[in-house]
Amino acid sequence: MIRFRLGTRGSPLALTQANMVRDALCAAHGWSRDQVELVVIRTTGDRVQDRALAEIGGKALWTKELDRALLGEEIDAAVHSMKDVETVRPDAIAIAAMLPRADVRDRLIGATSPVDLPLHATLGTSSPRRRAQMLRHRPDLNVVLLRGNVETRLAKLAAGEVDATLLAAAGLDRLGRGEVGVAVPTDLMLPAPAQGAVGIEVRRADSTALVRLAAIDDAPTHVCVAAERALLAALRADCHSPVAALASLAGETLSLRAELLSEDGVHSVEGAVEGAVGEPLGDRLAADLLARAPDPVRRLFGA
């Protein structure tokens, strides 16, 4: 008997993460694996691979089909990589739980560090943040669009279409590819907000699903990711916005670091705040960064 239906994208990484959620639910509630059904839903973001997401609808291309299935009661919950979930969500949908966060860093594949890349090397990425951060360190780089799942991007790198690329360490680790690439320290490249976190959304009115998922929620991850997403909301950031952020929790003290960049990486501003859990740290840090940002950065954030 199926007790719970989990909606997921169909990529290898998405399926791995959905199975992690299924295993956590089974362990928490004493269910067998066949009592949690994985419902694969193909998203527009999976279908369209030749253009940047920002050109064709942004992060909603990863979520809108899953949202439709969730609100249509075809599934009980949807599993997401939280960095791919747009900041403003439908009122009828709630982020019910997050799994423990994995490695937040990027991994550089094709060189041991940005400075070791050949002069005028071609870097493949679809991320405005990664583009800007790499150009700040290496303005000579030729940055081109590179999309697709992990294996697709690694295959394009192996075929010589690009000299290097960057992938999230968490995704590589979850796919058993921990040997791929070199982790870039966060003081060199601060990660995307919510990178490394897997979140599960439900219908806000579905009290049964909310209770079931509360049992697997990792509170420190949830608190940190919520702070990073609050920063994005305060900045009114979108898929075009080169923004990096990372929150950390020590006891009841929450620290939030962030960086805003111009698209070419020439201009940037960074800062940090800390306070008690529940304080509006995202709002405070966003106001501070925008007040100090160079004009090319401020314009990107509508300030």
Side-chain angles (χ1 to χ4, degrees):
M1 181 180 95
I2 299 297
R3 288 183 176 271
F4 209 70
R5 298 163 299 166
L6 285 176
T8 177
R9 292 169 51 208
S11 72
L13 178 56
L15 289 170
T16 295
Q17 294 177 164
N19 274 298
M20 291 166 57
V21 175
R22 174 160 65 178
D23 290 344
L25 284 168
C26 290
H29 299 296
W31 297 342
S32 62
R33 282 178 59 83
D34 60 6
Q35 289 179 299
V36 180
E37 179 186 6
L38 300 190
V39 181
V40 176
I41 296 170
R42 195 169 186 221
T43 69
T44 305
D46 294 311
R47 290 192 296 270
V48 182
Q49 295 290 329
D50 60 344
R51 284 173 287 170
L53 288 179
E55 296 177 5
I56 53 174
K59 290 183 177 181
L61 298 181
W62 297 128
T63 58
K64 65 180 181 180
E65 285 88 356
L66 284 159
D67 290 351
R68 190 177 300 123
L70 183 60
L71 294 174
E73 300 190 13
E74 299 168 29
I75 56 177
D76 300 305
V79 181
H80 298 287
S81 292
M82 285 306 303
K83 72 181 180 66
D84 294 333
V85 177
E86 64 267 35
T87 309
V88 179
R89 303 295 290 130
D91 290 340
I93 291 176
I95 300 170
M98 293 185 203
L99 298 185
R101 198 172 196 173
D103 192 338
V104 300
R105 295 174 295 178
D106 289 312
R107 284 211 189 113
L108 177 64
I109 302 121
T112 56
S113 73
V115 297
D116 291 330
L117 283 165
L119 191 66
H120 304 304
T122 297
L123 174 77
T125 183
S126 62
S127 163
R129 171 190 63 87
R130 287 170 175 156
R131 173 190 174 91
Q133 288 175 323
M134 288 294 287
L135 285 173
R136 176 179 57 189
H137 297 297
R138 289 289 306 273
D140 63 290
L141 293 177
N142 172 37
V143 183
V144 300
L145 178 69
L146 184 67
R147 288 196 53 217
N149 64 37
V150 168
E151 292 303 329
T152 297
R153 283 183 273 177
L154 291 177
K156 290 180 178 180
L157 175 64
E161 294 185 29
V162 295
D163 298 308
T165 190
L166 291 149
L167 294 172
L172 289 167
D173 289 342
R174 288 171 182 148
L175 289 170
R177 302 299 302 272
E179 82 287 353
V180 172
V182 177
V184 183
T186 57
D187 58 357
L188 190 64
M189 284 186 68
L190 202 62
Q195 185 156 306
V198 174
I200 310 100
E201 292 188 323
V202 301
R203 293 180 296 279
R204 192 176 297 276
D206 188 345
S207 58
T208 299
L210 285 165
V211 169
R212 285 172 167 175
L213 284 162
I216 68 168
D217 185 40
D218 185 73
T221 296
H222 210 143
V223 165
C224 289
V225 171
E228 293 161 22
R229 287 174 58 81
L231 171 77
L232 289 177
L235 291 168
R236 290 179 289 180
D238 59 24
C239 281
H240 297 276
S241 309
V243 53
L246 182 62
S248 58
L249 188 64
E252 293 299 313
T253 300
L254 184 65
S255 300
L256 178 63
R257 300 162 50 201
E259 175 183 54
L260 313 181
L261 303 102
S262 59
E263 292 175 333
D264 58 8
V266 172
H267 305 279
S268 65
V269 60
E270 59 186 85
V273 294
E274 69 175 31
V277 173
E279 289 185 30
L281 298 185
D283 291 351
R284 279 171 45 193
L285 185 53
D288 171 62
L289 291 172
L290 291 175
R292 295 188 291 108
D295 285 344
V297 174
R298 286 169 54 84
R299 286 194 293 269
L300 282 178
F301 294 89

